[in-house]
Amino acid sequence: MAQLDCERIWREYKNRVGNYIFAHISNKDDAEDLLSSVFAKIVQASSTYRGNPNAVSSFVYRITQNLVIDYYRTRKTYDEVPELTSPPPPHTQSVEDDFLKQTTLDFLADALALLPEFERDVLILHYYKNISLKKITVKLQSTEGKVKLAHNRAIKFLKEKFKEFDY
């Protein structure tokens, strides 16, 4: 088992990993925190790394990808608690609706994690960041046909997953 050279990995990968994270997460502070977390995990795992110390790119990107997925999976927004004296708004959802919404979001996050990286990137950029497919081709340095195909395959995959989940 070879010890990884964490300083070399930091110098070599910090810009590429940072660009990947910033492309997927719009909040700069959260993105910087994730960048730090990626390299903290690399340092943690450096003593038990069993791969080739000269070919760690897959290892680095897998950690990065997993942390971005975890970020979306665990990210929750909380509304302010309304004052007890004010009546509830007429459009308040029931507890069942809230549970169903959260369950659906959790299922979606799990299904997204099963997609190939390129297809997942296309969906995240298109639906979470509201970027057109045409602009995604430039951002991902790909062709319009490949991006459209990835989009269609990903949507088809998610539809099948949701059918399995009885939606």
Side-chain angles (χ1 to χ4, degrees), residues 5 11 16-17 38-39 71 78-80 87-88 104 108 112 121 130:
D5 182 0
R11 284 190 311 273
R16 288 185 271 177
V17 169
V38 165
F39 287 97
Y71 170 82
Y78 298 97
D79 296 329
E80 287 185 21
T104 304
L108 178 60
L112 283 172
D121 290 348
N130 294 321

Side-chain angles (χ1 to χ4, degrees), residues 2 10 14-15 24 26 30-31 37 45 56 61 71 93-94 112 115-117 125 140 163 166:
W10 170 256
K14 74 176 177 184
N15 290 334
H24 289 81
S26 57
D30 288 347
S37 296
V56 296
Y61 285 113
Y71 170 82
Q93 292 183 343
S94 70
L112 283 172
L115 286 170
E117 180 181 0
L125 291 171
L140 296 180
K163 281 181 186 174
D166 290 332

